Amino acid sequence: MDMISPCERAMTPVGLDTSGADLVSMSPNATAVGPSGISPSTSTLLLLVCVLLAAWSRTVKTTVPGPSFCLGLGPLLSYLRFIWTGIGTASNYYSNKYGDIVRVWVDGEETLILSRASAVHHVLKNGHYTSRFGSKQGLACIGMYERGIIFNNNVSQWKKIRPYFNRALTGPGVQQTVDVCSSSTQTHLNDLDGLDQVDVLSFLRGTVVDISNRLFLDVPVNEKELMVKIQKYFDTWQTVLIKPDIYFKFGWIHKAHKAAAQELQDAIENLVEQKRKEMEQADKLDNINFAAELIFAQNHGELSAENVRQCVLEMVIAAPDTLSVSLFFMLLLLKQHPDVELQLLQEIDTVVGKRLQKGDLQKLKVLESFINESLRFHPVVDFTMRRALTDDIIEGYRVPKGTNIILNTGHMHRTEFFLKPNEFSLENFERNTPRRYFQPFGSGPRSCVGKHIAMVMMKSILVTLLSQYTVCPHEGLTLDRLPQTNNLSQQPVESHQEGEHLSMRFLSRHRKSCKTL
């Protein structure tokens, strides 16, 4: 009985062993003809072919490394690991165990986990990997199925929508973005009830929600209510993304997830309607921002109302989900490395005057190295999900159309190129880093559209905060001791007991020392 699945056979590397055998046996008289019957040119050609086959065979691998099929038990166990521990945690487990190219199964579908730089680069740069994979019913539950940009697997629809995001995320002038980020950060600092027990995650999330609103929507919002709904939506997103179809057969489960997502969808729809009314009542529209352009597109029949709502929703949730948590991790890393903190503060004091200017950003080299090293060493999102739209070959392996791909960039950043891959060190960015070895935002046709503005936002927020305050976490609170989950992204555990432990003290910078709580 053949114990190897058809999919395993499909993933067999490209080789010439069988064709070599055909070459040897192609003539029925080959064994009867003596050496004298073969011309010198033919002998030379055969010898050359044999040498090439021998050299090629040295690189041939029988199957992609990974858990065995084992009568279907392998696919079941690997899928359960993804469901139980989270996508990020499971990907790191298999990469550590089997290497930089691994075959697993997600919901019965063959999935490659890639953390080799050349393989990751190959996928990112090619247009036939512009689709992502995920549960159709799960994505429909949260409004992402063939809508928006993040997990829209309708490639033609995605290509139609992406330009709106491109214009919005590159459209605002750098100085405007810097001014909005700085003023929003300062406003939220001024609004703190006290500096002894600051809920840093809430502070950062509130700041980035306000920045996103001011840049892309610009209507009055209740930040606290909106942040609660964003968190519910994100939790639902993580829960349903790779669940099997049978999971949604339980009506009460599907209804609960749908209701959690609907809360944010309704809130965003109300905000869009506010924006629409403001536009209708305005004598002149001086600022055509992201939401306004989408509303114009809807009025001209280019986008549906549901797509407009989903696009605005995704623009609003992107920063609280990723950028704010990235900044939280950076503040912890800064306190774990006081020498880096000293370099950073000296640079800020030297470069930045009373008001941060766009020209200052390029001069803040230590800050840029610090941000890059933080994103490399402990990224919030350490993988990306893709699906092959055509048959392909990656590193010698056949990849059939429809194969799921997980690009484990977090693991890649700790295994290739960098001088001290397993340490947090600014030395890792002392030399120019080729793009293929450092992919915090991805690259190619489906790279993160907000990567440039994200850097401006992180720099502006950090400069505004650190120029005034020294941030002091609780004693013993370090990244390696911080309870975290890693499903769709790495997130601190924010239970009631952990919540107080995550708070920090803000000390005015004129104080020369910082004692931990």
Side-chain angles (χ1 to χ4, degrees), residues 83-341:
I83 293 291
W84 186 258
T85 67
I87 302 172
T89 301
S91 298
N92 287 327
Y93 169 82
Y94 286 116
S95 293
N96 288 327
K97 184 171 183 178
Y98 293 104
D100 51 16
I101 298 181
V102 187
R103 186 263 296 114
V104 295
W105 294 267
V106 174
D107 196 14
E109 298 179 342
E110 283 212 348
T111 303
L112 290 182
I113 304 174
L114 307 178
S115 56
R116 185 183 301 174
S118 55
V120 171
H121 180 68
H122 173 86
V123 172
L124 289 175
K125 72 177 183 179
N126 282 306
H128 48 266
Y129 290 100
T130 52
S131 179
R132 300 184 189 271
F133 73 91
S135 163
K136 177 180 176 179
Q137 292 197 50
L139 292 173
C141 177
I142 58 176
M144 285 188 175
Y145 182 70
E146 296 194 349
R147 293 177 189 158
I149 190 175
I150 299 177
F151 265 86
N152 191 338
N153 291 324
N154 183 326
V155 176
S156 61
Q157 185 68 237
W158 167 77
K159 288 181 178 179
K160 181 180 178 181
I161 292 172
R162 186 178 171 93
Y164 294 101
F165 283 83
N166 278 333
R167 287 191 290 273
L169 293 166
T170 58
V174 175
Q175 188 60 55
Q176 178 194 354
T177 304
V178 170
D179 289 343
V180 169
C181 293
S182 299
S183 64
S184 178
T185 306
Q186 189 61 58
T187 298
H188 285 78
L189 284 171
N190 295 340
D191 289 344
L192 290 174
D193 294 332
L195 301 177
D196 286 339
Q197 294 287 335
V198 178
D199 183 348
V200 179
L201 274 171
S202 293
F203 161 75
L204 293 171
R205 284 170 176 156
T207 301
V208 296
V209 164
D210 181 49
I211 292 169
S212 297
N213 175 45
R214 290 170 63 179
L215 289 176
F216 309 122
L217 189 58
D218 199 21
V219 295
V221 299
N222 185 318
E223 284 179 17
K224 291 184 178 180
E225 287 185 4
L226 190 60
M227 285 192 299
V228 170
K229 293 173 182 177
I230 288 173
Q231 195 62 42
K232 286 183 179 180
Y233 184 92
F234 181 75
D235 291 342
T236 303
W237 180 10
Q238 292 195 118
T239 301
V240 304
L241 182 58
I242 59 170
K243 286 292 193 296
D245 289 346
I246 194 173
Y247 179 81
F248 300 96
K249 298 295 184 182
F250 299 95
W252 62 275
I253 292 179
H254 185 270
K255 186 177 180 180
H257 290 321
K258 184 72 175 176
Q262 194 67 47
E263 285 187 36
L264 181 61
Q265 291 170 337
D266 291 343
I268 296 298
E269 189 167 348
N270 289 334
L271 296 178
V272 171
E273 284 306 308
Q274 286 185 52
K275 184 67 178 180
R276 191 189 305 276
K277 290 179 181 178
E278 286 184 7
M279 292 169 60
E280 292 172 352
Q281 296 171 1
D283 295 329
K284 182 180 178 182
L285 294 176
D286 296 321
N287 179 27
I288 307 299
N289 59 20
F290 177 68
E293 188 175 3
L294 292 176
I295 291 170
F296 279 133
Q298 181 190 346
N299 293 341
H300 288 85
E302 297 172 10
L303 293 175
S304 66
E306 293 80 11
N307 230 329
V308 170
R309 180 189 66 188
Q310 188 62 30
C311 288
V312 174
L313 183 152
E314 292 181 10
M315 185 69 91
V316 170
I317 70 172
D321 282 345
T322 55
L323 192 142
S324 57
V325 180
S326 291
L327 291 169
F328 178 77
F329 290 159
M330 289 176 195
L331 294 177
L332 287 179
L333 284 168
L334 202 61
K335 299 313 296 183
Q336 291 174 228
H337 300 85
D339 55 327
V340 175
E341 182 181 23

Side-chain angles (χ1 to χ4, degrees), residues 274-454:
Q274 286 185 52
K275 184 67 178 180
R276 191 189 305 276
K277 290 179 181 178
E278 286 184 7
M279 292 169 60
E280 292 172 352
Q281 296 171 1
D283 295 329
K284 182 180 178 182
L285 294 176
D286 296 321
N287 179 27
I288 307 299
N289 59 20
F290 177 68
E293 188 175 3
L294 292 176
I295 291 170
F296 279 133
Q298 181 190 346
N299 293 341
H300 288 85
E302 297 172 10
L303 293 175
S304 66
E306 293 80 11
N307 230 329
V308 170
R309 180 189 66 188
Q310 188 62 30
C311 288
V312 174
L313 183 152
E314 292 181 10
M315 185 69 91
V316 170
I317 70 172
D321 282 345
T322 55
L323 192 142
S324 57
V325 180
S326 291
L327 291 169
F328 178 77
F329 290 159
M330 289 176 195
L331 294 177
L332 287 179
L333 284 168
L334 202 61
K335 299 313 296 183
Q336 291 174 228
H337 300 85
D339 55 327
V340 175
E341 182 181 23
L342 180 60
Q343 292 180 58
L344 196 56
L345 296 180
Q346 288 175 341
E347 180 181 71
I348 291 173
D349 290 344
T350 302
V351 172
V352 181
K354 292 183 177 180
R355 176 172 173 261
L356 180 64
Q357 303 286 337
K358 67 177 182 180
D360 298 335
L361 299 181
Q362 299 299 321
K363 301 174 185 177
L364 296 168
K365 300 299 184 182
V366 176
L367 178 59
E368 183 157 339
S369 294
F370 169 71
I371 291 174
N372 284 335
E373 177 62 358
S374 298
L375 296 175
R376 182 201 71 84
F377 183 76
H378 197 85
V380 170
V381 180
D382 58 356
F383 68 93
T384 188
M385 302 162 68
R386 300 293 173 88
R387 173 169 280 159
L389 297 176
T390 62
D391 293 342
D392 194 17
I393 296 172
I394 299 178
E395 301 291 307
Y397 295 103
R398 284 193 180 96
V399 179
K401 177 182 177 180
T403 300
N404 298 334
I405 308 286
I406 295 176
L407 303 177
N408 192 350
T409 52
H411 188 266
M412 180 188 78
H413 290 159
R414 291 201 177 211
T415 55
E416 294 189 53
F417 182 78
F418 293 98
L419 183 65
K420 299 178 179 180
N422 293 312
E423 297 179 28
F424 179 88
S425 173
L426 299 193
E427 293 178 29
N428 286 318
F429 285 91
E430 284 184 346
R431 54 177 175 164
N432 291 330
T433 306
R435 181 180 297 178
R436 67 170 58 205
Y437 295 112
F438 183 55
Q439 298 281 359
F441 301 103
S443 60
R446 195 149 188 170
S447 63
C448 174
V449 291
K451 55 189 174 184
H452 298 301
I453 200 170

Side-chain angles (χ1 to χ4, degrees), residues 2 10 24 44 63 106 140 304 371 375 409 437 478 488 509 511:
D2 188 358
V24 174
T44 302
T63 56
V106 174
S304 66
I371 291 174
L375 296 175
T409 52
Y437 295 112
T478 58
L488 197 55
R509 272 204 54 204
R511 299 177 64 174

